[in-house]
Amino acid sequence: MTKSSVRVCVRTRPTAQFAHDQLIVKPESRTIEVNLKKNPAMGVVNNMRENYTFKFDGLLHNSSQETVYHECMDEIVQGVIKGYNGTMLAYGQTGAGKTYTMSGGTESYKARGCIPRAIQQVFGEVSARPDQSFTIRMSYLEIYNETLFDLLAPAGVIAEENSELQVIEDSKGGITIKGLTVETANTEEEAMNLFFEGETNRAIAEHQLNSSSSRSHCILTVHVESRSRVESADRVLVSKLNMVDLAGSERVSKTQSTGAILREAMYINKSLSFLEQCVNALADRGREHVPFRQSKLTHVLKDSLGGNCRTTMIANIWGESSQLEETISTLNFATRMMRVKNEAIVNVKMDANLLVKKYEQEIRELKQELAMHDALSDRKDVQYDPYSEEQKYEIAQTIRAYCRGEMEEIQIQSMRQVRELLQQFKHLYNSAVFDANNGRASAAAVEGQQDEGEEGGGEEASKTAGIGQLADRDGFSIGRAPDAAVPETSVKTAELQRSPLKQGATSENQSPKKVVKKAPPGAAKPDKNQAFEEYKATVGSKTHAGLRDNLAGEVKFLSLDFPLTP
């Protein structure tokens, strides 16, 4: 990771009316001095500042296009080839030469701007690295009146469809445009054709200061992917080069704009104002929030300003005396931009398809080595593939035999077998605990019913209380089903089992009845605890013994008879 400030270079527009007495350019020290004359109309007490001094990373005074490119763009393009993101910004007032700096002129080949020269250098670097495989893609975005437009959209796509473009931010702070056309360029010629196609779709207009003024912000992005042909090909370097031609700030009083051009100027100045607010927030170290989402321009440039990128800005100024106020404003913004810090890192991603193939090959090789090791160690039954359902059932049967004592030990062959054995033991234990809890609940329900019958619930309660119903109470329990729900013989058999027979009831046609002992009038009611103890000692002795064993945790695995889930 390399942390560096935004690099700022100032380029002056060549003009015959250059204000040499008020705008002093010193290329050797890379400084600019601005001397203003006081306005007599402001009176005797005039606190207007007269002298300004600015120092930048580079100063390009009456420089050629080639000099500008090598001073500002050459290092950025080389970094993009190595995997670093790069951004080139052209900023300044309208008519200062931003579009000429980025796109160039048509009068000669030497007048080419930074964009065509960068495309040429990218493909030159690609051809100079035969040991690497490169994929070059391009996109061209226009921000016009706070609306995103795709300048490389296929023919016939209407403007309303371009409004569906959305700015997407990933978890690492990278910015992508959803729905933006990204075309593959295999040669330099194809890339230049894409650039010229986007240029013809740009919005331009004429006003007092510029005959072909750009009415929108345009961002040409070159996406570069590279992987080694010699080393591992699953490591891919991914980078992008943003070349931004910003629309120029303008004063309506000077441009005399009206109608649609005035509306465009309002949007341009508004977005540039938001850009300046973001730069001020980034330059202030005590500031936590940066308002990137205030405009589409600042949101798109989020990773270029204070993010993972190497950024250079060319501040274009118009050195005439009538434009000194705009010149000072541009130089002040450029000075603040120099305080913005970026942290650029090499963007590396792994190719998922190649990684899968690589891991599959490694797994095959490891299995072959294991097979050779087992053969040399005389281990023939070792298995490394997933267990089938039949094999899981056999392991379950082996565990049963081991628990019953039919096997002294289980032969361990591999860790996979140990994991499967533990899994089957887990199923066995869970099933045993489940059955034990169900048996305990059933026994408790039986005791509760017998207690209620002895305390005077009688036959009436037994007849009215069915399964899932408590007699004379709300709630839920496991009770005896109504007599009509089961055959008569079953009801009679249940009554015989739950109550003592009357003495002398020997008739075959007469059903035995429960003996209900009635307490004499005025006698005290028997104690419930004493009655329960008598019941446990006589009729409920077996049930009490079973409950006691279950509560003591004596679960007998050898007596279990249930299927194990494989």
Side-chain angles (χ1 to χ4, degrees):
M1 177 182 297
T2 58
K3 190 171 184 179
S4 59
S5 302
V6 175
R7 191 168 182 269
V8 177
C9 298
V10 176
R11 185 183 189 185
T12 60
R13 171 181 172 173
T15 175
Q17 300 176 357
F18 194 87
H20 294 283
D21 55 338
Q22 295 179 286
L23 191 64
I24 302 173
V25 180
K26 299 179 179 180
E28 300 80 9
S29 59
R30 295 174 295 181
T31 58
I32 297 178
E33 295 180 2
V34 182
N35 301 318
L36 297 179
K37 297 179 180 180
K38 286 190 176 183
N39 188 1
M42 297 182 66
V44 178
V45 181
N46 190 348
N47 296 325
M48 184 185 71
R49 184 176 177 181
E50 300 182 21
N51 302 317
Y52 296 84
T53 302
F54 302 94
K55 184 177 179 62
F56 300 99
D57 298 314
L59 186 56
L60 307 168
H61 182 53
N62 294 330
S63 301
S64 63
Q65 293 281 67
E66 183 178 2
T67 303
V68 172
Y69 179 79
H70 286 294
E71 179 70 20
C72 303
M73 284 288 295
D74 185 74
E75 186 177 354
I76 292 180
V77 174
Q78 292 180 5
V80 169
I81 297 299
K82 296 177 182 178
Y84 293 96
N85 294 333
T87 298
M88 177 69 179
L89 289 165
Y91 179 86
Q93 73 172 109
T94 181
K98 300 180 302 300
T99 302
Y100 179 80
T101 298
M102 299 302 295
S103 300
T106 58
E107 61 273 10
S108 64
Y109 182 75
K110 293 182 178 180
R112 292 175 302 143
C114 291
I115 293 178
R117 291 176 184 271
I119 293 175
Q120 181 184 18
Q121 183 180 358
V122 167
F123 282 92
E125 296 287 345
V126 168
S127 60
R129 289 172 169 81
D131 58 333
Q132 291 181 315
S133 173
F134 286 89
T135 302
I136 309 298
R137 298 182 179 89
M138 292 179 61
S139 63
Y140 212 163
L141 176 69
E142 181 183 42
I143 305 175
Y144 176 74
N145 291 350
E146 280 299 299
T147 305
L148 303 179
F149 291 93
D150 186 0
L151 296 180
L152 297 182
V157 177
I158 59 177
E160 287 74 11
E161 295 180 1
N162 284 287
S163 62
E164 298 179 358
L165 300 178
Q166 297 179 0
V167 183
I168 304 298
E169 183 177 353
D170 58 24
S171 59
K172 298 181 180 180
I175 298 297
T176 57
I177 309 300
K178 181 181 179 181
L180 185 65
T181 302
V182 181
E183 296 286 348
T184 302
N186 298 318
T187 61
E188 181 183 348
E189 182 180 0
E190 293 180 4
M192 292 300 296
N193 289 335
L194 293 173
F195 166 62
F196 292 142
E197 179 183 349
E199 284 289 292
T200 57
N201 296 327
R202 290 187 60 174
I204 59 174
E206 180 181 358
H207 54 68
Q208 293 287 348
L209 298 180
N210 194 351
S211 60
S212 58
S213 174
S214 299
R215 314 310 296 164
S216 62
H217 311 294
C218 291
I219 304 173
L220 177 69
T221 305
V222 180
H223 305 268
V224 180
E225 291 186 9
S226 64
R227 66 187 71 200
S228 176
R229 300 179 187 269
V230 180
E231 300 176 357
S232 178
D234 53 3
R235 183 176 181 270
V236 183
L237 297 180
V238 181
S239 59
K240 62 180 180 180
L241 173 62
N242 295 321
M243 290 171 281
V244 186
D245 182 11
L246 298 174
S249 60
E250 54 190 62
R251 293 191 177 185
V252 179
S253 58
K254 291 185 177 182
T255 59
Q256 301 296 322
S257 301
T258 57
I261 300 179
L262 175 61
R263 181 169 177 266
E264 293 168 354
M266 293 173 60
Y267 276 106
I268 292 171
N269 292 335
K270 183 179 179 181
S271 61
L272 292 176
S273 176
F274 287 142
L275 176 62
E276 186 171 358
Q277 292 179 20
C278 291
V279 171
N280 292 337
L282 290 169
D284 186 1
R285 296 183 179 180
R287 184 83 172 267
E288 294 183 358
H289 174 68
V290 180
F292 285 112
R293 295 178 180 268
Q294 288 189 123
S295 69
K296 297 293 180 61
L297 175 63
T298 55
H299 200 186
V300 172
L301 296 178
K302 181 178 179 180
D303 54 354
S304 300
L305 301 174
N308 176 24
C309 188
R310 291 178 174 178
T311 304
T312 297
M313 188 184 81
I314 298 180
N316 295 266
I317 59 175
W318 196 347
E320 296 182 358
S321 58
S322 59
Q323 310 297 332
L324 285 182
E325 292 183 2
E326 289 80 0
T327 297
I328 294 175
S329 177
T330 300
L331 296 178
N332 282 327
F333 177 78
T335 302
R336 289 190 291 270
M337 180 67 80
M338 293 176 62
R339 295 197 291 267
V340 176
K341 302 289 184 180
N342 286 354
E343 295 183 2
I345 61 174
V346 177
N347 303 289
V348 181
K349 75 174 185 179
M350 308 305 291
D351 192 325
N353 295 329
L354 292 178
L355 279 178
V356 170
K357 294 179 180 179
K358 176 183 177 181
Y359 293 152
E360 288 177 350
Q361 179 65 25
E362 290 182 358
I363 291 172
R364 285 194 296 268
E365 294 176 355
L366 291 173
K367 284 184 176 181
Q368 292 176 359
E369 292 183 3
L370 284 173
M372 294 177 60
H373 176 73
D374 294 337
L376 295 175
S377 303
D378 197 16
R379 301 172 62 191
K380 300 179 181 179
D381 298 332
V382 180
Q383 182 181 359
Y384 299 102
D385 295 328
Y387 284 97
S388 62
E389 298 298 326
E390 293 78 5
Q391 291 171 337
K392 291 180 180 180
Y393 179 77
E394 291 178 0
I395 292 177
Q397 295 299 325
T398 302
I399 294 174
R400 281 201 185 97
Y402 179 76
C403 291
R404 296 190 184 98
E406 299 174 3
M407 295 178 60
E408 294 183 0
E409 62 179 11
I410 299 176
Q411 186 66 32
I412 302 300
Q413 298 176 348
S414 64
M415 287 301 299
R416 294 183 68 257
Q417 181 196 18
V418 171
R419 285 193 293 268
E420 188 62 33
L421 286 170
L422 293 175
Q423 188 70 17
Q424 295 300 329
F425 266 117
K426 180 180 179 181
H427 292 321
L428 177 66
Y429 173 77
N430 291 336
S431 300
V433 172
F434 177 77
D435 290 348
N437 292 334
N438 286 344
R440 189 180 308 165
S442 300
V446 171
E447 286 190 9
Q449 290 179 355
Q450 292 179 352
D451 291 344
E452 291 178 1
E454 292 182 357
E455 292 177 5
E459 294 181 357
E460 296 298 327
S462 301
K463 291 180 180 179
T464 58
I467 296 177
Q469 179 182 358
L470 290 176
D472 301 331
R473 286 177 293 174
D474 295 332
F476 186 89
S477 69
I478 301 177
R480 188 171 67 87
D483 296 341
V486 294
E488 183 178 357
T489 56
S490 301
V491 174
K492 293 179 179 180
T493 304
E495 289 180 353
L496 288 173
Q497 294 177 353
R498 298 176 62 245
S499 63
L501 296 176
K502 283 186 177 182
Q503 294 182 357
T506 58
S507 175
E508 297 180 358
N509 297 327
Q510 185 177 6
S511 301
K513 298 182 179 179
K514 186 193 307 182
V515 178
V516 180
K517 296 180 181 180
K518 296 184 179 180
K525 293 184 179 181
D527 184 36
K528 293 183 179 181
N529 295 330
Q530 182 180 359
F532 181 59
E533 293 297 331
E534 292 178 359
Y535 165 75
K536 289 194 295 182
T538 57
V539 180
S541 59
K542 292 184 179 181
T543 304
H544 176 63
L547 288 173
R548 184 176 56 194
D549 294 340
N550 287 337
L551 292 175
E554 296 181 0
V555 181
K556 299 180 180 181
F557 287 89
L558 299 180
S559 63
L560 295 176
D561 188 12
F562 52 85
L564 291 176
T565 303

